Amino acid sequence: SHHNKNARSSLHLGNLGAIRDWGFAPDYVEIMLDSVLTPDEAVYCCGTGIGYTVRQFCEFAFSVVGIDIVFEGEGLDEKGIDKSTGQVLVEVNERYFRPLEVDILIAGKSGNKLRERSFLYLEGIVENMVSYDLSNNEYGGFEDAGRYSKFWKASKYIQQNL
């Protein structure tokens, strides 16, 4: 939404090719709560098991506001360009590279005994983030956001019982 709120500058990011298992915090809080309440003394690896690049995250975000972004170039010269206007929207900046970058971070199948759940995947997460940001000038939290109330209930339970 940075671009859509009449920002004049491009968005500067680090490694656009980094692959991450993007997840939704309330989903992870539910998993943490389940793991605390299970009688099992297991170690859990939590994640969606699906990897997306930072570049794909950008594509999803711009598509929410109706912008078709294409990436050209490689490495530090890579740029995300609005296909219809030619405007540079995303630039790579070495400043945002992590010193010990790990190229791929994806949760594997843990085979744990926690109940199966449906995750909110990256497209939905990005759509929620951009839509929320466009409709609010300040961060307002999730208190009144339907599904997110589970996050607050679990958080309060953990604080009171651990």
Side-chain angles (χ1 to χ4, degrees):
S1 70
H2 167 81
H3 171 75
N4 209 50
K5 287 185 176 180
N6 299 319
R8 300 252 186 256
S9 63
S10 59
L11 178 63
H12 288 234
L13 298 171
N15 182 1
L16 297 178
I19 299 171
R20 299 292 180 261
D21 186 338
W22 306 86
F24 187 54
D27 287 333
Y28 294 119
V29 171
E30 287 183 30
I31 292 169
M32 287 186 279
L33 182 59
D34 284 353
S35 68
V36 168
L37 297 177
T38 188
D40 221 4
E41 290 188 18
V43 174
Y44 299 100
C45 176
C46 303
T48 66
I50 300 172
Y52 293 95
T53 64
V54 174
R55 186 179 303 101
Q56 288 172 300
F57 188 105
C58 291
E59 291 168 348
F60 293 145
F62 280 103
S63 73
V64 172
V65 293
I67 295 173
D68 187 10
I69 189 169
V70 293
F71 286 88
E72 297 178 359
E74 292 182 17
L76 293 173
D77 296 324
E78 186 171 7
K79 295 184 182 342
I81 301 167
D82 182 331
K83 190 174 181 178
S84 64
T85 67
Q87 181 183 359
V88 174
L89 303 176
V90 176
E91 294 182 75
V92 175
N93 188 327
E94 192 171 18
R95 174 182 180 191
Y96 299 109
F97 277 72
R98 294 179 176 177
L100 300 173
E101 181 71 72
V102 176
D103 290 334
I104 301 172
L105 288 174
I106 302 173
K109 299 283 185 202
S110 65
N112 66 51
K113 296 177 183 174
L114 297 179
R115 66 183 166 86
E116 290 293 319
R117 64 186 23 84
S118 60
F119 282 95
L120 181 58
Y121 292 105
L122 185 60
E123 296 94 328
I125 293 169
V126 172
E127 184 175 348
N128 286 345
M129 291 169 65
V130 172
S131 298
Y132 181 87
D133 198 33
L134 289 172
S135 63
N136 295 279
N137 289 326
E138 300 179 7
Y139 176 73
F142 293 118
E143 292 87 347
D144 299 318
R147 174 177 179 206
Y148 312 126
S149 64
K150 290 180 184 178
F151 171 82
W152 294 105
K153 288 176 188 171
S155 175
K156 287 177 185 173
Y157 177 89
I158 290 169
Q159 289 173 358
Q160 293 167 358
N161 294 288
L162 295 182

